[in-house]
């Protein structure tokens, strides 16, 4: 029997599982950066859209305020005020007018400066930190306007401390510039709108200074180091508080197209964003939308986890399948081993059986040999028996014939003498005796012929009752003379037996004759004839009421020439011949004494089918 290999079974499933785990790790490592980049780009694209809207919003605001100082500058009252700077009443009116204008425009400040940059009227005239009396001649927007152009500038308000965008326009009388009107609006409301969204916003100027941002801590920080000259210029126009202009540490790497991955400091720690930037050329700004990468990274992580999970699920599936397959194979192997064992055992048994069979065949052969030898011995014995019978017969015959022959000779000799003496009567008597003797010898000879001859009559189904009735008919004369009472006990159905009509009749006549002989002295002799079915045979019993057969005689009655009758009455051949006839038919002839009195001879013959009636009837007629 093969050894069971359960270890490889576990190994196969486990190995597959390990392979799939490795595959999951590799797939994670390979696909995660790609997935991360993919989701970052998706987030970046959304950021780009936000950027476009943000820039549009800013541009819209800038354009909305842009024409305002020009329109205000056209008011005649402003020129009047500039031409009469000491008219306090007029200035007071202008102050109030500018205040109302600012309120209407939702501007932080509207103010009027003379050509030196001194503010003579302002919307903030009532406020604590009023612009009135302050000089903004250092501001670029003033210098641009006083030279006849549109002035624009972004700066931290030196008076208000608020970040604002400034537009300025000259006030002219004829071709002469006599002053400047400036409008300031605050940028903080834009930032308000940016806060709370998914994205962070940075607006920086040409120097890389962040002046607007959704994160207030980034205000006035620089995204690149500033040169000393740049710093000095900024300080000169007092644009930003120089002490707050520290570098905002950041590193950028390209992501896709103009999209970049930007790591920037938030609350003292580096944080990663996807950066999209668009310029606002009029203002010289660059607007950057920062989209935090955390969500994209989480999405990538989620996707890669699902992938790994799927691979592991597949791995489990494959491992399970392999496990089941291995178990199945193992079971098949066990079954095969069992089958082989069984086959081996069968082969072993078959060999045993074959040997036993060979032995049997050998024994049968030996038995057959023994049987053949026995048969041969039997044949020899039969031959010997026949020789013995022949010897017996010879002795009996010589006795049977010698005695009448001697008598015939004596009678003949005496007859010759009686004839010579002329004693005719005695001579005739002797010749009559000689004739009787020769009759007797002829009778012996006839019986002997019957004894020796095997009649040509065929053995075939014969109906027994008619045969018996024929036999009774033959003996009718003797039966009547002896006043014999024959009692028949016959069956209703016809008794078909295997035999020959003539020979059966001969046997029955013989048995009836013996019965009559045995009851010679009886006054009222009775013969009972019974016919009955015993299994596959018919049994014909002939009982007489004579003296029966004595003990020592009963063993010899079927021997040839055995007789208890006086010479001339019996030859001792009847039963012997009858016995042989019945044996030839495959039947039996038995002799026994009846429990009450008399002898019973039983004739047992094989029962036959009646379907040969016609044939048998024809053959019977031919006999
Ligand atoms: P046989 O009649 O010439 O003597 P069988 O062979 O017929 O020769 O008979 C042999 C002997 O068997 C007879 O001599 C007789 O002794 C005995 N035997 C036959 N039949 C009967 C019978 N029915 N009752 C008594 N003895 C019988």
């Amino acid at each position: 029997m093969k050894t069971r290999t359960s270890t490889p079974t576990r190994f196969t499933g486990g190995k597959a599982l390990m392979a799939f785990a490795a595959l999951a790790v590799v797939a994670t490592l390979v696909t995660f950066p790609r997935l991360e980049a993919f989701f970052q780009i998706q987030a970046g694209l959304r950021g780009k859209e936000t950027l476009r809207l943000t820039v549009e919003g800013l541009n819209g605001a800038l354009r909305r305020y842009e024409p305002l100082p020009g329109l205000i500058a056209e008011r005649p009252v402003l020129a009047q005020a500039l031409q009469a700077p000491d008219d306090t009443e007029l200035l007071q009116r202008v102050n109030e007018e500018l205040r109302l204008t600012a309120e209407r425009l939702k501007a932080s400040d509207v103010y009027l400066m003379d050509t030196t940059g001194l503010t003579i009227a302002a919307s903030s005239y009532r406020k604590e930190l009023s612009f009135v009396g302050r000089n903004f001649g250092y501001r670029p927007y003033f210098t641009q306007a006083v030279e006849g152009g549109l002035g624009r500038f972004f700066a931290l308000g030196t008076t208000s401390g608020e970040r604002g965008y400034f537009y300025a326009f000259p006030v002219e009388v004829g071709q002469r510039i006599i002053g400047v009107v400036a409008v300031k609006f605050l940028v903080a409301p834009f930032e308000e709108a940016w806060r709370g969204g998914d994205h962070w916003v940075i607006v920086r100027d040409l120097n890389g200074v962040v002046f607007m941002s959704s994160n207030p801590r980034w205000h006035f920080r620089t995204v690149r180091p500033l040169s000393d000259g740049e710093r000095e210029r900024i300080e000169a126009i007092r644009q930003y508080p120089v002490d707050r202009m520290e570098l905002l540490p950041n590193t950028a790497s390209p992501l896709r197209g103009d999209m970049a991955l930007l790591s920037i400091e938030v609350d003292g720690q580096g944080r990663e964003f996807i950066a999209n930037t668009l310029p606002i050329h009029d203002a010289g700004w660059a607007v950057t939308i920062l989209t935090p990468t955390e969500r994209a990274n989480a999405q990538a992580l989620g996707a890669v986890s699902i992938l790994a999970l799927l691979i592991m699920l597949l791995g489990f599936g494959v491992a399970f399948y392999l496990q089941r397959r291995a178990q199945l194979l193992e079971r098949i192997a066990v079954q095969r081993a069992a089958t082989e064992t069984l086959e081996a055992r069968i082969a072993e048994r078959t060999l045993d059986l074959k040997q036993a069979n060979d032995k049997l065949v050998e024994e049968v052969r030996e038995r057959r040999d023994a049987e053949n030898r026995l048969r041969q011995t039997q044949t020899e014995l039969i031959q010997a028996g026949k020789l013995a019978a022949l010897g017996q017969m010879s002795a009996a015959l010589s006795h049977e014939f010698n005695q009448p022959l001697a008598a015939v000779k004596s009678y003949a000799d005496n007859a010759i003498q009686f004839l010579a003496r002329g004693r005719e009567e005695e001579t005739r008597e002797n010749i009559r005796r000689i004739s009787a003797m020769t009759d007797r010898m002829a009778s012996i000879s006839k019986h002997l012929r019957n004894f020796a001859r095997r009649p040509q009559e065929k053995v075939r189904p014969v109906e027994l009752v008619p045969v018996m009735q024929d036999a009774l008919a033959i003996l009718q004369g003797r039966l009547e003379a002896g006043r014999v009472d024959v009692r028949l006990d016959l069956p209703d159905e016809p008794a078909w037996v295997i035999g020959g009509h003539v020979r059966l009749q001969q046997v029955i006549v013989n048995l009836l004759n013996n019965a009559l002989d045995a009851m010679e002295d009886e006054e009222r002799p009775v013969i009972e004839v019974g016919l009955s079915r015993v299994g596959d045979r018919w049994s014909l019993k002939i009982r007489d009421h004579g003296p029966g057969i004595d003990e020592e005689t009963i063993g010899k009655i079927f021997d040839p020439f055995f007789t208890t009758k006086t010479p001339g009455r019996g030859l001792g051949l009847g039963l012997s011949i009858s016995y042989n006839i019945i044996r030839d038919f495959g039947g039996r002839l038995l002799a026994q004494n009846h429990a009450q009195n008399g002898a019973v001879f039983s004739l047992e013959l094989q029962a036959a089918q009646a379907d040969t009636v016609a044939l048998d009837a024809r053959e019977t007629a031919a006999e």
Side-chain angles (χ1 to χ4, degrees):
M1 187 161 163
K2 284 176 187 170
T3 49
R4 287 182 58 168
T5 50
S6 57
T7 316
T9 306
R10 280 198 295 275
F11 183 62
T12 310
K15 199 177 164 189
L17 208 58
M18 275 164 64
F20 273 90
L23 182 67
V25 169
V26 170
T28 305
L29 292 176
V30 170
T31 56
F32 183 68
R34 285 170 174 77
L35 278 170
E36 204 178 40
F38 171 77
F39 284 111
Q40 284 173 353
I41 287 165
Q42 295 302 310
L45 290 173
R46 285 194 297 279
K48 207 170 214 144
E49 188 57 27
T50 311
L51 174 65
R52 199 178 56 76
L53 293 171
T54 307
V55 168
E56 265 175 24
L58 274 174
N59 262 330
L62 290 175
R63 290 204 186 100
R64 203 164 55 246
Y65 288 109
E66 197 182 74
L68 295 179
L71 291 171
I72 297 165
E74 280 173 13
R75 291 181 188 169
V77 71
L78 298 188
Q80 285 169 17
L82 283 168
Q83 282 164 339
D86 301 321
D87 186 344
T88 48
E89 196 180 326
L90 181 66
L91 287 178
Q92 198 59 30
R93 226 177 69 217
V94 173
N95 270 338
E96 185 56 21
E97 208 166 297
L98 293 179
R99 191 186 66 80
L100 290 171
T101 306
E103 207 171 80
R104 231 172 284 136
L105 296 175
K106 290 195 173 62
S108 165
D109 290 284
V110 182
Y111 48 103
L112 179 69
M113 290 163 283
D114 64 15
T115 48
T116 65
L118 180 72
T119 308
I120 60 163
S123 58
S124 60
Y125 74 100
R126 280 201 251 163
K127 290 182 184 168
E128 199 180 330
L129 295 169
S130 170
F131 280 15
V132 179
R134 297 186 67 94
N135 192 310
F136 297 110
Y138 58 90
R139 291 290 206 188
Y141 62 87
F142 172 77
T143 42
Q144 284 161 8
V146 88
E147 279 162 19
L150 173 71
R152 57 173 85 214
F153 186 59
F154 178 86
L156 181 70
T158 49
T159 313
S160 63
E162 283 179 319
R163 285 163 305 139
Y165 198 79
F166 301 82
Y167 279 110
F169 205 80
V171 181
E172 294 175 357
V173 174
Q175 292 297 313
R176 199 164 55 89
I177 294 170
I178 58 166
V180 168
V181 172
V183 175
K184 178 191 176 186
F185 63 89
L186 299 177
V187 294
F190 290 101
E191 290 176 331
E192 288 298 323
W194 298 339
R195 285 196 195 109
D198 287 344
H199 309 275
W200 299 44
V201 185
I202 286 179
V203 185
R204 62 180 194 272
D205 65 10
L206 289 172
N207 294 320
V209 181
V210 177
F211 61 85
M212 285 168 79
S213 173
S214 51
N215 180 10
R217 287 170 190 246
W218 286 344
H219 289 161
F220 310 116
R221 304 284 297 270
T222 63
V223 295
R224 62 176 173 84
L226 293 181
S227 65
D228 288 345
E230 283 168 331
R231 274 183 176 275
E232 278 165 20
R233 267 198 301 280
I234 290 167
E235 205 165 1
I237 56 172
R238 289 198 253 169
Q239 191 178 12
Y240 307 123
V242 179
D243 56 324
R244 286 176 64 183
M245 283 167 56
E246 279 173 24
L247 183 69
L248 181 63
N250 68 91
T251 49
S253 56
L255 184 60
R256 201 187 79 172
D258 54 356
M259 238 182 256
L261 214 54
L262 188 74
S263 177
I264 196 164
E265 193 193 279
V266 178
D267 300 334
Q269 278 185 342
R271 188 168 165 184
E272 205 177 46
F273 295 92
I274 303 132
N276 276 294
T277 303
L278 267 182
I280 300 179
H281 293 292
D282 288 350
W285 295 349
V287 184
T288 302
I289 288 286
L290 297 176
T291 312
T293 53
E294 281 93 345
R295 204 159 126 200
N297 293 355
Q299 282 176 322
L301 197 66
V304 90
S305 304
I306 288 170
L307 180 71
L309 203 69
L310 285 177
I311 292 171
M312 283 315 289
L313 273 178
L314 192 68
F316 276 115
V318 169
F320 180 70
Y321 166 74
L322 288 175
Q323 183 91 0
R324 287 298 300 267
R325 193 166 155 271
Q327 280 174 351
L328 202 70
L329 287 175
E330 191 186 357
R331 211 173 300 151
I332 289 169
V334 169
Q335 278 173 358
R336 192 177 298 144
T339 311
E340 278 168 10
T341 312
L342 196 68
E343 277 170 5
R345 215 170 287 162
I346 288 170
E348 224 168 77
R349 290 276 160 83
T350 310
L351 192 69
D352 288 353
L353 277 175
K354 198 184 165 311
Q355 283 170 350
N357 190 44
D358 288 351
K359 212 166 160 190
L360 266 178
V361 167
E362 178 65 17
E363 274 174 21
V364 167
R365 200 181 55 75
E366 281 172 9
R367 293 270 162 86
R368 198 172 291 141
D369 287 354
E371 199 180 301
N372 285 341
R373 279 200 300 278
L374 189 68
R375 200 168 289 143
Q376 200 168 341
T377 313
Q378 272 177 348
T379 314
E380 283 165 10
L381 274 174
I382 288 166
Q383 194 57 32
K386 275 183 184 170
L387 287 174
L390 199 64
Q392 275 180 329
M393 267 173 66
S394 304
L397 276 175
S398 66
H399 172 76
E400 288 297 319
F401 281 101
N402 281 345
Q403 194 247 338
L405 276 175
V408 165
K409 183 167 170 48
S410 152
Y411 288 134
D413 288 349
N414 288 343
I416 290 166
Q417 284 179 14
F418 285 136
L419 200 61
R421 287 179 207 156
R423 288 164 67 176
E424 201 177 314
E425 190 52 37
E426 283 87 349
T427 308
R428 193 178 290 118
E429 178 56 27
N430 274 18
I431 290 170
R432 199 186 50 77
R433 282 182 179 158
I434 288 168
S435 174
M437 287 293 166
T438 53
D439 280 348
R440 181 171 152 75
M441 284 192 287
S443 168
I444 292 170
S445 164
K446 186 177 157 235
H447 274 89
L448 277 174
R449 208 168 59 239
N450 280 342
F451 184 74
R453 196 185 66 175
R454 276 187 177 272
Q456 292 308 300
E457 187 191 42
K458 282 181 183 162
V459 174
R460 62 166 64 89
V462 175
E463 209 189 334
L464 200 51
V465 175
V467 175
M468 201 189 60
Q469 281 162 347
D470 285 355
L472 287 170
I474 289 168
L475 293 174
Q476 199 177 6
R478 193 176 171 193
L479 291 168
E480 279 174 4
R483 293 195 298 166
V484 181
D485 180 6
V486 179
R487 296 174 188 170
L488 294 176
D489 180 14
L490 301 176
D492 296 333
E493 53 174 325
W496 288 91
V497 296
I498 299 288
H501 190 99
V502 176
R503 281 174 288 170
L504 278 175
Q505 188 181 298
Q506 182 186 344
V507 170
I508 294 166
V509 167
N510 201 1
L511 293 175
L512 290 170
N513 263 328
N514 279 350
L516 293 172
D517 287 347
M519 294 187 293
E520 200 121 70
D521 302 332
E522 299 291 321
E523 283 259 320
R524 299 277 311 161
V526 177
I527 294 179
E528 289 163 60
V529 179
L531 180 57
S532 62
R533 178 86 185 230
V534 182
D536 61 347
R537 290 174 172 238
W538 282 104
S539 171
L540 180 73
K541 289 188 191 297
I542 297 174
R543 179 195 169 186
D544 59 57
H545 288 261
I549 314 156
D550 57 39
E551 283 287 306
E552 57 186 279
T553 312
I554 202 157
K556 301 176 194 164
I557 54 168
F558 294 111
D559 290 350
F561 299 112
F562 173 81
T563 183
T564 56
K565 294 170 191 171
T566 50
R569 294 289 314 267
L571 286 172
L573 284 173
L575 283 180
S576 173
I577 291 167
S578 298
Y579 185 89
N580 284 317
I581 288 170
I582 299 306
R583 196 189 57 191
D584 284 351
F585 293 158
R588 289 199 300 172
L589 181 59
L590 306 167
Q592 59 195 131
N593 285 312
H594 195 273
Q596 286 159 357
N597 63 347
V600 185
F601 283 82
S602 302
L603 187 61
E604 289 180 7
L605 288 161
Q606 283 177 40
Q609 293 291 323
D611 55 358
T612 51
V613 179
L615 179 67
D616 185 62
R618 208 165 52 241
E619 295 290 330
T620 309
E623 280 179 354

